[in-house]
Amino acid sequence: MRSNRAKTRAGVSMAATLPMIAGALALGIPAAHADGPARNALTGTRPLWATAKADKGAAADSARVNARVYLAGRDAAGLAAYARAVSDPASPLYGKHLSAKQAQARFGATKAQVTAVKSWLKSAGLTVTGVTTHYVAVSGDVAAAEKAFGTQLHNYAKGKRTYRAPAKTASAPASLKGAVLTVSGLDNAPHKSDHDEQLPPPDAVFKNAGPFSSYFGSNTASSLPDAYGHKIPYAIQGYTGKQLRPAYGAGKYTGKHVRIAITDAYASPTIAFDAGSYAKKNGDAAWKTGQLHQVLPADYTKTEECGASGWYGEETLDVEAVHAVAPNADVTYVGAASCYDDDLLDSLSKVVDNHLADIVSNSWGDVEGNQTPDLAAAYDQVFQFGAVQGIGFYFSSGDDGDQVAASGVKQVDTPANSAWVTAVGGTSLAVGKGDTYQWETGWGTQKANLSADGKSWDAFPGAFTSGAGGGTSKTVPQPYYQQGIVPKKLATANNKAGNRVVPDIAAIADPNTGFLVGQTQTFPDGTQRYSEYRIGGTSLAAPVIAAVQALAQEARGGKAIGFANPSIYQRYGKKGVFHDVTDNPTGSGLAVARTDFVNGLDASGGLATSVRVLGKDSSLHAVKGYDDVTGVGSPANGYVQSYKGH
């Protein structure tokens, strides 16, 4: 399950001594403003799709604009530098995290900066509608926005729709002395995550049909055709914590005294009941009083557009998976008011500003092609504030492989592409009898249906259906921690200087070797009842890795790991720390058989039988060493232990 949404940096300044017109044009500032006071360009505020060819003319002066002016703070460069130093095991500042109050005092915006920004916006005719430590929200008409930001707003064709965007890069007065990081909202194209102002009831019921395997290979599909020259097992019913914990080296650790936050949009009205029921039915430790918290907005918006009830399953999966792997961790669910970037950013900021947890699991995102640099800068600033406080963010890498089949373009997902988060890729996991780890492949599925006569699989191995997101970013430079580890061919795929490659680490994601989840759902008779089904996606991998990190933090004596990528890559290549995941670990080809209810509920609508081939992730490949399906691999028995005393 995934979401729909929106990163780079602001800050090219124009010195008053430069030739005014030439300097203005170089920064994308309209010539009409060239003879006025000097201005600083807000780089990235004109989206790439706002081209001359797509220009449909000026937006009406009276049209409404709702924008956020993000504050750079008193030392943006210092924030990024400290975030790196405090996260790098090789730095003398490693682990010297600041409190939320200290971080704000050292790097946040000053009262004078906020006052100056508000004064500037009001003088242009905009109305200030909200102020936080991160931004000043404003509203007004197009004419006022154009005056404030030194650009014209035009209408542009984008696909089959028309949206408003700046005709030139927006700017802010140089007299503000760099107080403005960026501005969002000048373009009104949707910036949201995939996955009314009352939440809808739970989604319609979904159930898996059998036969099942209880562990990988326990039930052979002897009456079905061979695949790769041998009989294959039925898909598992769904792994539980009892099986996942030993697979990833949990040992005696349970996440005790470690706090994990989960962010998604909206909030399941039955989450406490469902999580409690699931734990009881599947052998997890019972939830203790006060162990599960919720931090929710006062109001929800865009519930129909965002498919609010579809997010209930996302929250349920995240909460139950975290508890299954780290049963004593404290869990706080932070719900966003909608699936839009502004609201999701607010939920992340709540975690950071109030230090609600040290580990944050996020199972949402969008394709990199939909990202805009203004929002990228806002996200990265939140991630950097988190890093200096010892807070690490974990984002699922996506469920559509290289994205070609889904979007038509080879690309990675965002915010997983940020250099300041841990991108979590996906695997197919085989846990055998006695809860023993057998192997993992990179998650990539091809599907072929059973032939009409039942004697073969049509067009075996079938078409690609889903797989772990990964690849090379087109916009984010290669972070220092990937240098020397990520193969040069991957790093330089889009840029000779090298770019960020996704993911960093991986865990179970394949729905065919997925996790059993329990959720209250709506049945055809209108009743709402608890039921269980198997689910997967990198939306499963992210909370599993977050939970494993909680175990590692406990092993570390409770000291926060914080932004984990430098320490993850430092451990790469050390014996017993990672499973080096490859596409065909057995050498004989891997597949499972599935029988599904056509109507998703029962056999009344018929059954569909298929073979699901494993380890075929579009153009991506899990190979020995680092790869763009599983990163450095999945946690092995020595991973959690490697943090003990470090």
Side-chain angles (χ1 to χ4, degrees), residues 225-271:
D226 289 2
Y228 295 117
H230 54 81
K231 293 299 180 184
I232 57 176
Y234 282 106
I236 62 157
Q237 187 165 9
Y239 292 128
T240 64
K242 184 174 180 287
Q243 293 164 302
L244 294 185
R245 279 177 49 78
Y248 293 128
K252 65 181 181 181
Y253 298 106
T254 61
K256 190 175 182 181
H257 301 312
V258 180
R259 298 179 301 157
I260 301 174
I262 294 164
T263 71
D264 286 310
Y266 308 108
S268 168
T270 59
I271 187 61

Side-chain angles (χ1 to χ4, degrees), residues 248-493:
Y248 293 128
K252 65 181 181 181
Y253 298 106
T254 61
K256 190 175 182 181
H257 301 312
V258 180
R259 298 179 301 157
I260 301 174
I262 294 164
T263 71
D264 286 310
Y266 308 108
S268 168
T270 59
I271 187 61
F273 172 82
D274 293 341
S277 299
Y278 180 84
K280 185 175 181 179
K281 284 178 173 288
N282 292 288
D284 295 341
W287 288 84
K288 300 178 181 68
T289 302
Q291 189 181 359
L292 176 61
H293 323 267
Q294 294 200 83
V295 177
L296 306 178
D299 299 296
Y300 298 104
T301 62
K302 304 179 180 71
T303 54
E304 185 173 344
E305 179 183 350
C306 291
S309 60
W311 287 81
Y312 300 169
E314 187 69 75
E315 176 188 357
T316 305
L317 166 62
D318 294 351
V319 169
E320 291 177 358
V322 160
H323 186 69
V325 176
N328 281 322
D330 185 86
V331 179
T332 297
Y333 174 75
V334 184
S338 79
C339 66
Y340 273 68
D341 273 301
D342 284 352
D343 291 324
L344 289 162
L345 265 166
D346 283 347
S347 66
L348 295 173
S349 295
K350 285 180 183 177
V351 177
V352 172
D353 295 346
N354 300 287
H355 205 134
L356 298 177
D358 294 327
I359 297 164
V360 190
S361 177
N362 311 273
S363 296
W364 45 269
D366 196 9
V367 294
E368 186 175 70
N370 287 345
Q371 70 180 177
T372 52
D374 52 348
L375 285 164
Y379 273 107
D380 279 354
Q381 186 188 62
V382 173
F383 299 146
Q384 290 167 6
F385 265 105
V388 303
Q389 295 176 45
I391 301 171
F393 295 88
Y394 301 81
F395 276 88
S396 50
S397 69
D399 298 341
D400 295 304
D402 63 11
Q403 282 290 346
V404 171
S407 71
V409 178
K410 189 172 184 177
Q411 58 185 318
V412 297
D413 276 28
T414 182
N417 66 340
S418 170
W420 294 99
V421 307
T422 299
V424 184
T427 70
S428 304
L429 171 66
V431 177
K433 188 175 183 180
D435 305 328
T436 55
Y437 177 94
Q438 294 184 331
W439 45 256
E440 282 174 283
T441 70
W443 170 38
T445 304
Q446 290 178 304
K447 173 187 175 183
N449 292 318
L450 184 65
S451 63
D453 63 8
K455 296 182 179 180
S456 63
W457 304 110
D458 288 334
F460 182 84
F464 173 75
T465 63
S466 56
T472 307
S473 170
K474 295 177 181 177
T475 62
V476 181
Q478 184 181 43
Y480 76 95
Y481 50 78
Q482 288 196 325
Q483 294 171 4
I485 295 176
V486 172
K488 185 176 180 181
K489 185 177 180 180
L490 288 177
T492 60

